[in-house]
Amino acid sequence: MKLNIAVLPGDGIGPEVTAQAVKVLKAIAMEFDHIFTFETGLVGASAIDKTGDPLPEETISICENADAVLFGAIGDAKYDIDPNAKIRPEQGLLGLRKVLDLYTNIRPVIAYEDLLNKSSLKKKQIKDTDILIYRELTSGIYFGEKKLSEDGNTASDSCEYTRFEIERIAHLAFKAAQSRKNKLTLVDKANVLVSSRLWRKVVQELAPQYPDVKLDYLYVDNAAVELIINPRQFDVILTENMFGDILSEEASVIVGSIGLLASASIGDKYAMFEPIHGAYTKAANKGIANPIASILSAAMLLDHFELHEEADLIREGVDKSLKLHITTPDLNTKYSHITTTKVGDFIEDFINNPEETNLNFTNIHLGQSTII
């Protein structure tokens, strides 16, 4: 298969982790005789610094001409501390989602057996957790009308949804549930918000088309509690933009590190794949950023093109790295010298030599990734 992949490394740790995902994709291409080409574009703070625009037209063109987009991270602390900044890095990501109409964000949340002790939660609570979060991505309060009074003392953000916007992601969530445990949970705030009541009404009307899927509902505040108390009860979660943003970040507590959570943003024509973590600029260029979420995002990219064997091989490499403690400091206190690049090197080596890589980590040369 030939794939042209737009690579948007972004800011902070984005370039470091994205480089490992690209490395792994190149290994897959070599192993399976695919042709993957990569074209890099600017986005976020790095784009503002060089062009004055968080989403330059050139970057949009690169993405529109690609088969898929591999995204890094976005943001810079200098903008966070300036509430009056007119141009912000995040506008690049929000703009890209809107331009490409990436209306569905899919976020897997899996409790890895080898990392159960890394979570702040008890093992018995999180063991066997396997959740798929479907978050609406191009509407709601993030994209609604924003007002600030002339005196600067009153502000408002409008949350607006249409039936069409709800239906198109709800159908995808129902279908995902059919391929899993046949359970869908709609998370809303229908007791307070009229937009949530529309969500509930529309999803209820669609449910008879999927009679094999059990549909239930949770208010978002209760869902946030249940996600911690008993995450195993969930299969597929469907929710609106802001609620999905918050809940998926909370879910990182289950897996032990936000550096493990990948995502896919899907539209009818375009698709983008990215880790859910931010730019974490304090860790940039220190070799401590966890690249696994970015690498797993690359696996989701391959799944999107039905290259399931290739995607599974990447996941096997990730599982092996976790089992052998070949991970960055957020997950690893045993081997402090494991860097972002070494994790990528190991998974690359696993793809090229899956049998030979099955050795104890002490047999790996400390200066490079190759197996002795």
Side-chain angles (χ1 to χ4, degrees):
M1 178 177 284
K2 293 183 179 181
L3 290 178
N4 178 28
I5 301 171
V7 181
L8 309 184
D11 310 320
I13 63 172
E16 298 170 72
V17 297
T18 305
Q20 306 316 308
V22 170
K23 177 191 298 179
V24 167
L25 285 172
K26 288 180 177 179
I28 287 290
M30 181 175 294
E31 186 69 18
F32 290 87
D33 294 323
H34 298 310
I35 299 175
F36 297 161
T37 58
F38 303 89
E39 189 170 3
T40 302
L42 292 170
V43 71
S46 58
I48 295 174
D49 291 343
K50 294 182 179 179
T51 71
D53 187 344
L55 183 60
E57 287 297 325
E58 182 181 356
T59 297
I60 295 174
S61 178
I62 290 172
C63 294
E64 289 179 335
N65 291 316
D67 296 300
V69 180
L70 187 64
F71 194 93
I74 205 166
D76 193 301
K78 66 183 179 184
Y79 295 96
D80 296 337
I81 60 176
D82 182 7
N84 297 314
K86 301 295 184 183
I87 300 176
R88 295 179 177 276
E90 293 76 14
Q91 292 168 345
L93 180 55
L94 294 176
L96 193 61
R97 290 170 178 170
K98 201 69 174 179
V99 167
L100 301 181
D101 197 22
L102 305 174
Y103 59 84
T104 297
N105 184 249
I106 306 168
R107 299 187 172 187
V109 180
I110 300 171
Y112 291 93
E113 184 70 27
D114 295 300
L115 296 178
L116 293 180
N117 64 334
K118 297 297 182 182
S119 173
S120 301
L121 305 177
K122 295 180 180 178
K123 290 183 181 180
K124 64 180 182 180
Q125 289 175 258
I126 63 174
K127 183 178 171 61
D128 299 324
T129 294
D130 185 354
I131 305 169
L132 207 54
I133 299 176
Y134 271 67
R135 167 195 171 192
E136 200 287 324
L137 204 59
T138 57
S139 194
I141 199 167
Y142 289 174
F143 291 91
E145 183 181 5
K146 305 181 187 311
K147 294 182 180 179
L148 180 66
S149 64
E150 290 186 6
D151 63 8
N153 294 323
T154 303
S156 66
D157 298 276
S158 174
C159 181
E160 183 175 293
Y161 272 104
T162 66
R163 171 180 289 273
F164 169 73
E165 289 169 335
I166 298 168
E167 284 182 343
R168 61 182 181 176
I169 186 174
H171 279 300
L172 295 179
F174 272 113
K175 291 174 183 177
Q178 285 181 317
S179 66
R180 290 168 54 92
K181 301 175 184 176
N182 291 294
K183 181 178 180 181
L184 178 64
T185 302
L186 174 64
V187 174
D188 60 28
K189 193 62 176 171
N191 57 335
V192 176
L193 302 178
V194 66
S195 57
S196 281
R197 287 195 281 274
L198 180 62
W199 268 86
R200 190 169 291 211
K201 180 177 185 292
V202 171
V203 172
Q204 284 176 341
E205 291 173 355
L206 295 182
Q209 299 180 38
Y210 305 92
D212 52 335
V213 177
K214 180 180 182 297
L215 174 64
D216 60 13
Y217 314 90
L218 281 177
Y219 295 143
V220 64
D221 44 351
N222 190 19
V225 174
E226 292 296 324
L227 196 57
I228 297 299
I229 293 176
N230 181 21
R232 286 196 302 270
Q233 69 182 284
F234 296 107
D235 181 22
V236 178
I237 293 175
L238 170 63
T239 191
E240 60 99 67
N241 202 340
M242 184 171 69
F243 296 163
D245 190 3
I246 295 169
L247 291 177
S248 57
E249 292 280 335
E250 180 191 18
S252 67
V253 177
I254 297 170
V255 303
S257 171
I258 199 170
L260 294 173
L261 292 180
S263 78
S265 299
I266 306 296
D268 293 332
K269 185 176 181 181
Y270 300 103
M272 183 168 71
F273 304 86
E274 61 177 304
I276 80 161
H277 60 67
Y280 193 23
T281 53
K282 291 182 179 179
N285 302 312
K286 295 181 180 178
I288 61 174
N290 191 337
I292 288 179
S294 188
I295 291 170
L296 289 174
S297 296
M300 294 184 76
L301 184 156
L302 296 174
D303 274 328
H304 180 72
F305 293 99
E306 299 185 354
L307 300 178
H308 301 303
E309 182 181 356
E310 291 88 332
D312 287 343
L313 186 58
I314 289 178
R315 295 188 181 99
E316 289 173 19
V318 168
D319 288 342
K320 182 65 69 174
S321 73
L322 297 176
K323 189 176 293 293
L324 296 180
H325 305 289
I326 304 175
T327 54
T328 44
D330 56 319
L331 294 174
N332 187 0
T333 57
K334 188 174 182 181
Y335 301 112
S336 60
H337 61 276
I338 305 298
T339 64
T340 305
T341 299
K342 286 184 179 179
V343 174
D345 287 346
F346 177 84
I347 296 172
E348 175 192 35
D349 189 89
F350 178 88
I351 291 167
N352 293 330
N353 308 282
E355 299 301 325
E356 288 79 359
T357 307
N358 189 17
L359 299 173
N360 187 280
F361 177 61
T362 55
N363 291 329
I364 298 176
H365 192 287
L366 300 183
Q368 53 189 352
S369 66
T370 51
I371 307 300
I372 296 177

